[in-house]
Amino acid sequence: MKNYLKNIAFKSVFCTFSLVTFFLVFTSCDDFVDVGAPETQVGMDFVFSNDATATGSILGLYDAVKNNLTPMYSGVLGTSSDELETSFPFSYGEFASNEISVNSYTLRYNIWMPSYAVIMQSNLAIKSLTESTTLTPSVKNQLLGEAKFMRAFVNFYLVNTFGDIPLPLGSNVIENAELPRASSAEVWIQITKDLIEAQELLGENYPSTSFRTRINKSVANAFLARVYLYQKDWLNAEIEATKLITNANYELVDLNNKFLNSSNETILQFHNVRGISNLGFIYQKKPGYIPDFYLANTMADSFEDNDLRKSVWTKEITIGSMSYSTIYKYQDIENNGDEYDVVLRLAEQYLIRAEARAHLNNIDGASGALADLNVIREKAGLDGLSGLNQAQTLLAVENERKFELFGEWGHRWFDLKRTPSLNNSALTRADDVISVIKDTWKSTSVLYPIPAEERRLNTNLTQNPGYEF
């Protein structure tokens, strides 16, 4: 029975990986009845024997995240907060009501499995690149840095979504399929380790000619700043964010230009052939159609008066008798355009540094938290803030993140979950905010359940509190 479950688990994982380029070798998923030995690196020696094929396989990592996870990490996660609503209640309604079933199809097939497929591909790439003796050293370092970054990026989303998670670091599929959940602390240590190693491997320049669509050292710096922030390492968060803010290659731009693929505010974006972003497709539709995801009324109605982000980045549409406030950060969904999916941008670094400095009780002055907040507010056409104490400044940071980063990569959901409640230190801001607007909210909803089928295949997996076992 144990070997049979191993075979099923291997087949499940391997079939997910076939979404990724270099697993589409000579066979289909239906052929896996007896998997035999656990070796999964079919053709890996060839793939990583020269610069071109090795680079192509790493680009498959970008495609896997861009095509399979970008809408999930942005749209679906946004519905779990007070940020987004969805026109697809059958697929995403359980996330919007924070009543996710352990048997959720979307949870398993659109979030869990594609995420682990990227991690497995990253692990295979890291192993093969490390062992390769034929690649140009600079190319080898670049690709290895990209693979480590991608593994850290996806693990960041998994640990914030599920809490304790399996942490596969090797390429043996059967061993990985039996891993128990590692503690969140262990996962954060590995994420940080991968990003620091990526920093050391990556160069200052972007390796791509099509704008900023591949990972360089600054990308690793920017994401590491976020990781330090989430771990409450305020000093290092400030240091890493400052590296980006003082880097002459990056600058804040006007609201109308922030999401153009030529923007100097962009730190990383995912390329697409037509210049039409995946996020544009889920937030905008042709006239007469409701977008997949749109702003919740509580979000749309909470902008400050005269906040340009509402007038520039949202758009009211009416369909029948219903009005919807849509996200208009990406504006071109019909023609060959000039928009990619922005993953990291400079505005977040100002907000990271502002929060870190506030926690360090550095509030006022040219190098204080409010100075960073006011840079962002000025771009939004708002007056600067002054005279705030530490608690007020931290709440102001939370609000600025809400209005600056809406619709982007689940920021609002994660911010509410990671910030302590104003009323009860045992709870989170999610309890303060979401319980007011959703009568289905429970404190245990801050984590999604582990998919039941994954627990059936891997009996070492435990379940999160608040979900049926």
Side-chain angles (χ1 to χ4, degrees):
M1 176 62 70
K2 184 175 180 181
N3 289 335
Y4 175 70
L5 290 178
K6 280 186 180 180
N7 288 352
I8 295 177
F10 177 81
K11 179 178 178 181
S12 172
V13 174
F14 198 97
C15 289
T16 304
F17 297 158
S18 67
L19 296 170
V20 183
T21 303
F22 65 64
F23 286 98
L24 296 173
V25 187
F26 301 107
T27 184
S28 73
C29 293
D30 291 336
D31 295 328
F32 288 89
V33 177
D34 183 2
V35 300
E39 179 60 50
T40 61
Q41 286 189 264
V42 179
M44 289 300 99
D45 289 343
F46 168 75
V47 170
F48 289 94
S49 65
N50 68 77
D51 293 352
T53 54
T55 299
S57 68
I58 295 301
L59 294 182
L61 283 170
Y62 290 85
D63 286 340
V65 175
K66 175 184 69 177
N67 295 329
N68 301 319
L69 294 174
T70 299
M72 298 295 109
Y73 289 171
S74 293
V76 173
L77 296 184
T79 66
S80 290
S81 68
D82 60 339
E83 181 180 58
L84 302 181
E85 295 182 4
T86 180
S87 60
F88 284 92
F90 180 78
S91 298
Y92 310 127
E94 60 187 328
F95 297 89
S97 65
N98 304 103
E99 295 181 300
I100 305 168
S101 168
V102 296
N103 297 309
S104 168
Y105 181 95
T106 300
L107 182 74
R108 183 176 187 231
Y109 289 98
N110 298 129
I111 297 178
W112 180 279
M113 290 177 68
S115 295
Y116 275 106
V118 172
I119 288 174
M120 185 59 183
Q121 187 186 359
S122 299
N123 290 349
L124 282 168
I126 290 167
K127 180 179 186 295
S128 299
L129 286 165
T130 301
E131 294 175 351
S132 176
T133 60
T134 57
L135 297 176
T136 303
S138 60
V139 173
K140 178 177 178 176
N141 286 343
Q142 171 65 34
L143 300 180
L144 193 55
E146 288 175 281
K148 287 178 180 289
F149 176 92
M150 283 298 194
R151 181 168 70 182
F153 183 82
V154 174
N155 271 325
F156 171 88
Y157 277 89
L158 285 171
V159 74
N160 278 292
T161 302
F162 296 100
D164 298 347
I165 54 169
L167 184 62
L169 299 175
S171 58
N172 187 309
V173 176
I174 292 179
E175 290 180 0
N176 290 344
E178 293 184 327
L179 287 175
R181 300 167 73 185
S183 70
S184 296
E186 292 176 89
V187 179
W188 282 114
I189 289 171
Q190 184 60 47
I191 291 170
T192 306
K193 180 176 183 290
D194 277 343
L195 290 173
I196 291 173
E197 291 176 357
Q199 279 183 317
E200 296 169 352
L201 290 161
L202 295 163
E204 299 287 349
N205 297 324
Y206 288 92
S208 53
T209 57
S210 55
F211 306 109
R212 297 166 176 179
T213 56
R214 285 180 63 189
I215 296 158
N216 70 346
K217 188 183 294 291
S218 290
V219 173
N221 292 346
F223 201 69
L224 189 56
R226 187 195 299 179
V227 167
Y228 282 137
L229 186 80
Y230 276 49
Q231 295 180 87
K232 298 179 172 57
D233 186 345
W234 314 124
L235 183 59
N236 277 316
E238 179 184 15
I239 289 170
E240 293 299 329
T242 299
K243 290 179 183 178
L244 275 297
I245 292 170
T246 58
N247 188 326
N249 291 320
Y250 307 99
E251 62 178 339
L252 295 177
V253 301
D254 293 338
L255 300 186
N256 285 305
N257 298 315
K258 284 180 183 284
F259 295 91
L260 299 180
N261 55 19
S262 58
S263 171
N264 282 336
E265 184 169 326
T266 297
I267 301 169
L268 177 67
Q269 58 191 339
F270 289 151
H271 173 268
N272 61 75
V273 175
R274 293 183 59 200
I276 301 175
S277 78
N278 285 325
L279 292 178
F281 276 119
I282 67 172
Y283 294 142
Q284 294 291 327
K285 284 288 185 288
K286 294 181 180 180
Y289 291 89
I290 306 171
D292 298 355
F293 302 95
Y294 51 91
L295 288 182
N297 289 334
T298 51
M299 172 70 188
D301 294 339
S302 61
F303 284 85
E304 286 183 53
D305 293 340
N306 304 318
D307 190 333
L308 295 176
R309 290 171 294 199
K310 182 171 185 179
S311 58
V312 177
W313 287 350
T314 73
K315 183 179 180 181
E316 293 294 321
I317 64 171
T318 301
I319 299 177
S321 61
M322 299 295 295
S323 294
Y324 302 89
S325 185
T326 65
I327 297 175
Y328 204 51
K329 289 181 172 180
Y330 298 96
Q331 301 179 5
D332 192 344
I333 63 167
E334 295 190 50
N335 305 305
N336 290 331
D338 51 8
E339 297 171 344
Y340 296 161
D341 286 304
V342 176
V343 183
L344 296 166
R345 58 188 180 93
L346 188 61
E348 183 196 355
Q349 300 302 307
Y350 277 93
L351 294 167
I352 287 172
R353 192 169 73 172
E355 185 174 344
R357 286 177 167 175
H359 278 287
L360 294 169
N361 209 23
N362 178 8
I363 308 298
D364 297 308
S367 62
L370 291 180
D372 283 337
L373 274 189
N374 289 338
V375 170
I376 300 300
R377 289 176 62 83
E378 180 183 352
K379 287 293 182 183
L382 298 172
D383 294 335
L385 302 173
S386 61
L388 304 185
N389 62 28
Q390 185 183 47
Q392 291 168 332
T393 301
L394 287 169
L395 189 57
V397 171
E398 179 188 310
N399 285 331
E400 257 350 278
R401 291 181 64 89
K402 174 182 177 180
F403 299 117
E404 180 69 25
L405 301 174
F406 67 88
E408 298 180 48
W409 295 96
H411 281 290
R412 177 63 174 168
W413 174 229
F414 289 169
D415 285 345
L416 291 176
K417 282 152 39 78
R418 69 183 175 86
T419 307
S421 164
L422 300 180
N423 308 310
N424 184 336
S425 60
L427 301 177
T428 69
R429 286 288 288 149
D431 292 286
D432 295 349
V433 173
I434 302 176
S435 64
V436 175
I437 61 175
K438 301 181 185 181
D439 57 12
T440 52
W441 174 260
K442 297 180 294 185
S443 293
T444 53
S445 300
V446 293
L447 294 178
Y448 289 178
I450 305 300
E453 184 64 12
E454 297 300 325
R455 296 190 64 223
R456 187 183 73 81
L457 296 173
N458 178 3
T459 56
N460 293 318
L461 293 180
T462 57
Q463 185 56 277
N464 280 325
Y467 298 95
E468 293 182 6
F469 284 71

